Amino acid sequence: MTAPIETTGAAAEAQPEAVLKGVEGKRIEGRSLGQIAWLRFRRDKVAVAGAIVVILLIAIAALSRPLQSLLGLDPNSPNQSLIDPNTTLPKGDFGGMSGDHPLGVDPKFGRDLLARILEGSWVSLIVAFGATLLSVAIGTVLGVVAGFYRGRVDAFISRMMDVFLAFPLLLFAIAISASLQGGAFGLEGLPLHISVLIFVIGFFNWPYMGRIVRAQTLSLREREFVDAARGMGARGPFILFRELLPNLVGPIIVYSTLLIPSNILFEAALSFLGVGIQPPQASWGGMLNQAVKYYEVDPQYMIVPGLAIFVTVLAFNLLGDGLRDALDPRSR
């Protein structure tokens, strides 16, 4: 037999685990899912740049009227002294750009383009955000119900989604918008046009959100936490709104940010076709419509609203892509 080995001195006092120098006084803290998503998002410089541009655009739209007052601009004030009476085009180069009118003026009337871009920004964002909220509300509720209850409920809601997706949306939107131009529901003028656009764009776009939420719900309803809630006696409404919906926040936020730019383009398309926001109210799509007659002789008039739409849509798309990668790294 071998004698037991005795440990003495420093060996006896050695710790069973290695201790890193300088870490003894620090506590190791866990990170929440929100903190982890924020760290992922912060590392994506392109998405951060998109978020900064989006914040600036929202601030500009919210403060468009004060900014116009501060700069002494009026989007509907004509200035015939800046227009060549022979050609109805702005005097000077690049559409009449000057210190007083940094983006130039529009042909025929001489209205300041910067003021009209600022005025059109809040219209586009209100329509886009309002339509997105309506689509998200309808699509989320019906998608969760269809995915959770399945069976006949799922079949009925799914067929309803197919019917809405089969609508020729653009033609239908043109018909509704054109028929309600005079007045309806006690509204007229700009409030009526904005309300109609929000309803038409939001109500007929909800199936896209509904399908995404339904697919996510079908996956989540088989998870252990749903079985645990059922085992504790929870009923359908409690599971829907307390268990499933909180886990759907990520996909809903991501798709909402990607839906907003498409709604901006839809509003611009309807205004371009003459059934959206009506003049003299400024809108980016309406400005493009008016610029079609002058793009060969005054391209500045088309470039300015076109760039406004391009930058806005690009910023929202970059933000949406960054949020998708941050909230669901498996999608990368």
Side-chain angles (χ1 to χ4, degrees), residues 169-191:
L169 181 54
L170 184 58
L171 296 178
F172 200 70
I174 291 174
I176 292 180
S177 300
S179 63
L180 297 178
Q181 290 297 324
F185 313 112
L187 299 174
E188 59 181 9
L190 183 60

Side-chain angles (χ1 to χ4, degrees), residues 286-296 298 301-303 305:
M287 294 173 68
L288 286 176
N289 183 358
Q290 297 164 7
V292 169
K293 298 178 289 186
Y294 300 99
Y295 75 94
E296 291 184 346
D298 186 13
Y301 190 27
M302 179 170 282
I303 291 173

Side-chain angles (χ1 to χ4, degrees), residues 26-158:
K26 296 182 180 179
R27 295 179 56 188
I28 299 176
E29 297 181 0
R31 291 173 178 168
S32 66
L33 293 178
Q35 291 173 325
I36 295 173
W38 167 244
L39 288 175
R40 293 196 197 105
F41 180 80
R42 196 170 59 183
R43 294 191 191 104
D44 191 344
K45 304 302 182 184
V46 176
V48 171
I52 292 173
V53 174
V54 166
I55 293 172
L56 289 175
L57 288 170
I58 293 175
I60 289 172
L63 300 174
S64 63
R65 294 290 176 85
L67 284 174
Q68 293 173 43
S69 300
L70 180 64
L71 298 174
L73 301 175
D74 185 349
N76 297 318
S77 176
N79 196 339
Q80 294 297 328
S81 63
L82 301 176
I83 300 298
D84 188 337
N86 298 320
T87 62
T88 69
L89 297 177
K91 296 178 181 178
D93 298 327
F94 303 106
M97 291 178 61
S98 63
D100 295 331
H101 306 282
L103 296 182
V105 297
D106 65 350
K108 190 176 181 179
F109 299 106
R111 296 172 296 190
D112 185 83
L113 288 186
L114 176 59
R116 295 187 66 77
I117 288 295
L118 291 175
E119 183 70 10
S121 63
W122 69 266
V123 173
S124 292
L125 290 185
I126 281 182
V127 172
F129 277 98
T132 300
L133 286 176
L134 182 59
S135 297
V136 169
I138 299 175
T140 298
V141 172
L142 294 181
V144 168
V145 170
F148 181 75
Y149 288 105
R150 303 183 66 178
R152 294 182 178 179
V153 175
D154 184 20
F156 174 76
I157 295 177
S158 296

